[in-house]
Amino acid sequence: MDDQTRMLAGLAGLGGLSQGDVGDQDSVRKQLGQPQQDIGDILQQIMAITDESLDEAQARKHALNCHRMKPALFSVLCEIKEKTVLSIRGIQDEDPPDPQIMRLDNMLLAEGVSGPEKGGGSAAAAAAAAAAGGSPGADGGIEHSDYRAKLAQIRQIYHSELEKYEQACSEFTNHVMNLLREQSRTRPISPKEIERMVAIIHRKFSSIQMQLKQSTCEAVMILRSRFLDARRKRRNFNKQATEVLNEYFYSHLSNPYPSEEAKEELAKKCAITVSQVSNWFGNKRIRYKKNIGKFQEEANLYAVKTAVDAASVSAQASQANSPATPNSGGYPAPCYTPDGRL
DNA sequence: CTAGATGATTCTGC
DNA sequence: GCAGAATCATCTAG
């Protein structure tokens, strides 16, 4: 039995007919005794509403609302609705928060785009600046503020777009809700259905929002990578720092592995970080080993230097340890004479 | 502009 | 976690 027949049967039932009498629409019409206002006509009128002007439609709607058959039709619709809603239920279960959107939210929060205005942004910028390496000076500051400015720009665009979406979403939701409330006078619409419709709309808008979040994340990543690449924008250590490091290296050539304390001391002397000292020694060891010949001259130079220093120190305290390398094992020593000549 | 130098990063083995 | 090695990206002298 299709819906329309069921509806007619329902109406017939309401009109005091027995089920057995409901054979076809004609018999219903006959039994109702209203040939000029039969159900088919009413349905026809409902269908035609969409083709009419607003005023006509309003008038027609009013006429339908006042029609004596309206409550009966309404209850039949309710009955049909009940069935369909039952079949729909279960499909539309509450879905858990989208992990994708959660990931994007977390990232935007961490990058200081969606979080509180001051905290995250500058923190992220500071992190980027810190990652840029302990290169002290004006450049770090410029990069820092530049990064912050760019991030603020992204943040602003993100928020204005988000606001637009939210506004559009709430406007659209209101509009749909009003429409549904209005329609609920002519067809059965439960508050739950309205709720579900609102949820559907929100889902649609949140998928749009996800696109916004995604593109914002991409923008942040591009910005970030640009600034993280800047960490490779290195500065050579100044001459004095290189000298201090070389002095230590060549005077400890047998074991050019400064202890943690020695590294700290060197870092302080050279105004660089301990990890930079480690990098420097790492690079130096490998490059020295690879091409001892090339470093020979430099090695001799520093050997003389340390020898001279040692001499002046030993003049004051003859028992003091000479910084000159005894060179027992470890890296090959440069060949030099005690007076500094090759 | 280019080659070499140099600081930083990444990968691998211990 | 550290050191060695390879590699990257930039700096710098010519």
PDB file of all heavy atoms in Angstrom, chain A residues 72-86:
ATOM      1  N   ALA A  72      -7.616  16.443   9.803  1.00  0.00           N
ATOM      2  CA  ALA A  72      -7.547  15.019   9.439  1.00  0.00           C
ATOM      3  C   ALA A  72      -6.316  14.753   8.579  1.00  0.00           C
ATOM      4  O   ALA A  72      -5.547  13.822   8.833  1.00  0.00           O
ATOM      5  CB  ALA A  72      -8.813  14.629   8.690  1.00  0.00           C
ATOM      6  N   LEU A  73      -6.146  15.603   7.571  1.00  0.00           N
ATOM      7  CA  LEU A  73      -4.980  15.464   6.684  1.00  0.00           C
ATOM      8  C   LEU A  73      -3.699  15.560   7.492  1.00  0.00           C
ATOM      9  O   LEU A  73      -2.754  14.793   7.308  1.00  0.00           O
ATOM     10  CB  LEU A  73      -5.031  16.554   5.609  1.00  0.00           C
ATOM     11  CG  LEU A  73      -3.909  16.550   4.597  1.00  0.00           C
ATOM     12  CD1 LEU A  73      -3.922  15.269   3.782  1.00  0.00           C
ATOM     13  CD2 LEU A  73      -4.021  17.754   3.664  1.00  0.00           C
ATOM     14  N   PHE A  74      -3.702  16.486   8.398  1.00  0.00           N
ATOM     15  CA  PHE A  74      -2.522  16.728   9.225  1.00  0.00           C
ATOM     16  C   PHE A  74      -2.158  15.486  10.044  1.00  0.00           C
ATOM     17  O   PHE A  74      -0.998  15.091  10.121  1.00  0.00           O
ATOM     18  CB  PHE A  74      -2.785  17.921  10.151  1.00  0.00           C
ATOM     19  CG  PHE A  74      -1.529  18.488  10.747  1.00  0.00           C
ATOM     20  CD1 PHE A  74      -0.793  19.429  10.055  1.00  0.00           C
ATOM     21  CD2 PHE A  74      -1.084  18.074  11.996  1.00  0.00           C
ATOM     22  CE1 PHE A  74       0.362  19.957  10.602  1.00  0.00           C
ATOM     23  CE2 PHE A  74       0.066  18.588  12.539  1.00  0.00           C
ATOM     24  CZ  PHE A  74       0.780  19.536  11.843  1.00  0.00           C
ATOM     25  N   SER A  75      -3.201  14.870  10.602  1.00  0.00           N
ATOM     26  CA  SER A  75      -2.903  13.706  11.442  1.00  0.00           C
ATOM     27  C   SER A  75      -2.408  12.525  10.612  1.00  0.00           C
ATOM     28  O   SER A  75      -1.577  11.744  11.059  1.00  0.00           O
ATOM     29  CB  SER A  75      -4.127  13.314  12.276  1.00  0.00           C
ATOM     30  OG  SER A  75      -5.090  12.730  11.449  1.00  0.00           O
ATOM     31  N   VAL A  76      -2.922  12.445   9.369  1.00  0.00           N
ATOM     32  CA  VAL A  76      -2.427  11.385   8.488  1.00  0.00           C
ATOM     33  C   VAL A  76      -0.953  11.632   8.170  1.00  0.00           C
ATOM     34  O   VAL A  76      -0.119  10.724   8.211  1.00  0.00           O
ATOM     35  CB  VAL A  76      -3.248  11.322   7.188  1.00  0.00           C
ATOM     36  CG1 VAL A  76      -2.597  10.368   6.192  1.00  0.00           C
ATOM     37  CG2 VAL A  76      -4.653  10.887   7.486  1.00  0.00           C
ATOM     38  N   LEU A  77      -0.679  12.878   7.873  1.00  0.00           N
ATOM     39  CA  LEU A  77       0.720  13.232   7.593  1.00  0.00           C
ATOM     40  C   LEU A  77       1.603  12.903   8.801  1.00  0.00           C
ATOM     41  O   LEU A  77       2.719  12.422   8.649  1.00  0.00           O
ATOM     42  CB  LEU A  77       0.832  14.721   7.247  1.00  0.00           C
ATOM     43  CG  LEU A  77       0.318  15.102   5.862  1.00  0.00           C
ATOM     44  CD1 LEU A  77       0.271  16.615   5.713  1.00  0.00           C
ATOM     45  CD2 LEU A  77       1.189  14.502   4.757  1.00  0.00           C
ATOM     46  N   CYS A  78       1.037  13.162   9.971  1.00  0.00           N
ATOM     47  CA  CYS A  78       1.773  12.842  11.197  1.00  0.00           C
ATOM     48  C   CYS A  78       2.100  11.356  11.256  1.00  0.00           C
ATOM     49  O   CYS A  78       3.218  10.958  11.603  1.00  0.00           O
ATOM     50  CB  CYS A  78       0.969  13.230  12.433  1.00  0.00           C
ATOM     51  SG  CYS A  78       1.046  14.973  12.787  1.00  0.00           S
ATOM     52  N   GLU A  79       1.076  10.575  10.892  1.00  0.00           N
ATOM     53  CA  GLU A  79       1.244   9.120  10.959  1.00  0.00           C
ATOM     54  C   GLU A  79       2.345   8.659   9.995  1.00  0.00           C
ATOM     55  O   GLU A  79       3.237   7.898  10.347  1.00  0.00           O
ATOM     56  CB  GLU A  79      -0.074   8.440  10.605  1.00  0.00           C
ATOM     57  CG  GLU A  79      -0.138   6.983  11.050  1.00  0.00           C
ATOM     58  CD  GLU A  79      -1.404   6.307  10.531  1.00  0.00           C
ATOM     59  OE1 GLU A  79      -2.473   6.955  10.564  1.00  0.00           O
ATOM     60  OE2 GLU A  79      -1.290   5.167  10.058  1.00  0.00           O
ATOM     61  N   ILE A  80       2.264   9.186   8.761  1.00  0.00           N
ATOM     62  CA  ILE A  80       3.275   8.836   7.750  1.00  0.00           C
ATOM     63  C   ILE A  80       4.658   9.260   8.239  1.00  0.00           C
ATOM     64  O   ILE A  80       5.644   8.533   8.153  1.00  0.00           O
ATOM     65  CB  ILE A  80       2.957   9.503   6.400  1.00  0.00           C
ATOM     66  CG1 ILE A  80       1.647   8.928   5.853  1.00  0.00           C
ATOM     67  CG2 ILE A  80       4.094   9.309   5.413  1.00  0.00           C
ATOM     68  CD1 ILE A  80       1.070   9.724   4.694  1.00  0.00           C
ATOM     69  N   LYS A  81       4.634  10.468   8.768  1.00  0.00           N
ATOM     70  CA  LYS A  81       5.895  11.041   9.258  1.00  0.00           C
ATOM     71  C   LYS A  81       6.530  10.135  10.307  1.00  0.00           C
ATOM     72  O   LYS A  81       7.719   9.858  10.274  1.00  0.00           O
ATOM     73  CB  LYS A  81       5.589  12.407   9.865  1.00  0.00           C
ATOM     74  CG  LYS A  81       6.803  13.206  10.145  1.00  0.00           C
ATOM     75  CD  LYS A  81       7.191  13.923   8.902  1.00  0.00           C
ATOM     76  CE  LYS A  81       8.514  14.584   9.071  1.00  0.00           C
ATOM     77  NZ  LYS A  81       8.784  15.484   7.974  1.00  0.00           N
ATOM     78  N   GLU A  82       5.680   9.719  11.224  1.00  0.00           N
ATOM     79  CA  GLU A  82       6.136   8.860  12.319  1.00  0.00           C
ATOM     80  C   GLU A  82       6.913   7.668  11.765  1.00  0.00           C
ATOM     81  O   GLU A  82       7.994   7.340  12.236  1.00  0.00           O
ATOM     82  CB  GLU A  82       4.917   8.361  13.101  1.00  0.00           C
ATOM     83  CG  GLU A  82       5.276   7.660  14.394  1.00  0.00           C
ATOM     84  CD  GLU A  82       5.675   8.648  15.489  1.00  0.00           C
ATOM     85  OE1 GLU A  82       5.369   9.850  15.345  1.00  0.00           O
ATOM     86  OE2 GLU A  82       6.312   8.215  16.438  1.00  0.00           O
ATOM     87  N   LYS A  83       6.336   7.072  10.714  1.00  0.00           N
ATOM     88  CA  LYS A  83       6.957   5.883  10.104  1.00  0.00           C
ATOM     89  C   LYS A  83       8.314   6.218   9.478  1.00  0.00           C
ATOM     90  O   LYS A  83       9.308   5.548   9.720  1.00  0.00           O
ATOM     91  CB  LYS A  83       6.022   5.326   9.013  1.00  0.00           C
ATOM     92  CG  LYS A  83       4.876   4.540   9.583  1.00  0.00           C
ATOM     93  CD  LYS A  83       5.131   3.055   9.378  1.00  0.00           C
ATOM     94  CE  LYS A  83       4.461   2.188  10.407  1.00  0.00           C
ATOM     95  NZ  LYS A  83       3.022   2.335  10.547  1.00  0.00           N
ATOM     96  N   THR A  84       8.303   7.291   8.676  1.00  0.00           N
ATOM     97  CA  THR A  84       9.548   7.642   7.976  1.00  0.00           C
ATOM     98  C   THR A  84      10.618   8.084   8.953  1.00  0.00           C
ATOM     99  O   THR A  84      11.789   7.736   8.795  1.00  0.00           O
ATOM    100  CB  THR A  84       9.315   8.753   6.933  1.00  0.00           C
ATOM    101  OG1 THR A  84       8.603   9.806   7.558  1.00  0.00           O
ATOM    102  CG2 THR A  84       8.565   8.245   5.748  1.00  0.00           C
ATOM    103  N   VAL A  85      10.210   8.842   9.955  1.00  0.00           N
ATOM    104  CA  VAL A  85      11.196   9.317  10.931  1.00  0.00           C
ATOM    105  C   VAL A  85      11.828   8.130  11.627  1.00  0.00           C
ATOM    106  O   VAL A  85      13.034   8.092  11.849  1.00  0.00           O
ATOM    107  CB  VAL A  85      10.539  10.274  11.950  1.00  0.00           C
ATOM    108  CG1 VAL A  85      11.426  10.447  13.178  1.00  0.00           C
ATOM    109  CG2 VAL A  85      10.276  11.616  11.302  1.00  0.00           C
ATOM    110  N   LEU A  86      10.980   7.131  11.927  1.00  0.00           N
ATOM    111  CA  LEU A  86      11.505   5.929  12.585  1.00  0.00           C
ATOM    112  C   LEU A  86      12.555   5.248  11.722  1.00  0.00           C
ATOM    113  O   LEU A  86      13.552   4.755  12.218  1.00  0.00           O
ATOM    114  CB  LEU A  86      10.354   4.961  12.873  1.00  0.00           C
ATOM    115  CG  LEU A  86       9.606   5.217  14.179  1.00  0.00           C
ATOM    116  CD1 LEU A  86       8.373   4.314  14.251  1.00  0.00           C
ATOM    117  CD2 LEU A  86      10.496   5.009  15.392  1.00  0.00           C
TER     118      LEU A  86
END
